[in-house]
Amino acid sequence: MAQERIEQGRGFGAKRPKKSTSLGNKNLVPVPEGAKTSPKRVGQGPGSGMGKTSTRGSKGQRARAASMRRGFEGGQLPLHRRLPKRGFTNIFSVEFQPVNLISLTKAGLSGEVTPAILKAKSLIKSEVGPIKLLGTGEVTAAITITVDAFSASAKEKIEKAGGKVIIREKKKEEKKTK
């Protein structure tokens, strides 16, 4: 088998000069049986080896190229129409990133706390998104924290500890005029 490949590699007969390489004939490694197969040539007529119908049988709906859409169940009411539709998605909902007082205490934060500091301490995922301060836990140090929203209990506990809660300024988006 390997000898056949080497003979094929010489090209146009025995008269062609043999290349002298330092590798010898190592670049002509035999290919294992079944490693290279030609792709199935569907729809190319009798010459493809698949016959005139290209393995689709004869006539009928399934023999056509684009006869049925995805999810078609032969005229039966499809699954996506049989299942009930419930609820809706509110496109105006705002999802806050919660920050509890206990997590501020565990992180050892005191003094002025900004969204950038909360992001650095991995208490929030994004400093751009809205942040809400919640009142779970206790605060001992005086904290001045900047957030978008807060609960009444959180504000009360922070002010009791000698700190204050600042609401972050919202950036106004300019409307594009045509």
Side-chain angles (χ1 to χ4, degrees):
M1 175 104 183
Q3 191 60 31
E4 292 172 14
R5 289 275 309 199
I6 293 169
E7 292 298 319
Q8 286 175 352
R10 285 191 186 153
F12 305 98
K15 293 181 181 177
R16 186 169 175 180
K18 193 174 181 182
K19 283 186 181 177
S20 61
T21 60
S22 59
L23 292 173
N25 289 325
K26 290 182 181 176
N27 60 336
L28 298 173
V29 176
V31 177
E33 190 73 28
K36 288 191 173 187
T37 56
S38 55
K40 187 176 183 179
R41 298 185 69 221
V42 173
Q44 302 299 318
S48 66
M50 301 295 155
K52 65 172 187 159
T53 53
S54 303
T55 72
R56 285 178 175 266
S58 59
K59 301 185 180 178
Q61 188 176 22
R62 290 177 179 265
R64 311 293 181 231
S67 61
M68 291 175 285
R69 65 181 185 276
R70 285 182 299 140
F72 183 67
E73 298 182 25
Q76 173 176 296
L77 195 67
L79 183 67
H80 69 89
R81 288 184 60 196
R82 287 197 304 262
L83 296 177
K85 275 64 175 175
R86 292 270 169 9
F88 73 105
T89 303
N90 186 358
I91 60 169
F92 301 108
S93 68
V94 179
E95 196 167 323
F96 285 93
Q97 301 175 83
V99 177
N100 281 302
L101 295 178
I102 193 166
S103 56
L104 294 176
T105 309
K106 282 182 181 178
L109 296 174
S110 61
E112 191 170 332
V113 178
T114 61
I117 293 170
L118 293 173
K119 171 83 168 91
K121 292 283 187 177
S122 299
L123 296 176
I124 57 173
K125 288 184 180 178
S126 168
E127 60 184 281
V128 179
I131 304 162
K132 184 167 184 175
L133 185 64
L134 302 175
T136 305
E138 294 296 324
V139 175
T140 52
I143 295 175
T144 304
I145 187 164
T146 307
V147 289
D148 296 297
F150 54 85
S151 66
S153 63
K155 184 178 181 181
E156 181 186 317
K157 289 177 183 179
I158 284 185
E159 287 176 349
K160 190 186 239 184
K164 64 179 181 175
V165 179
I166 301 169
I167 293 182
R168 183 163 49 168
E169 293 284 325
K170 290 183 180 176
K171 294 179 183 176
K172 292 182 181 178
E173 294 180 17
E174 295 180 18
K175 290 184 178 178
K176 293 180 182 177
T177 56
K178 290 184 179 179

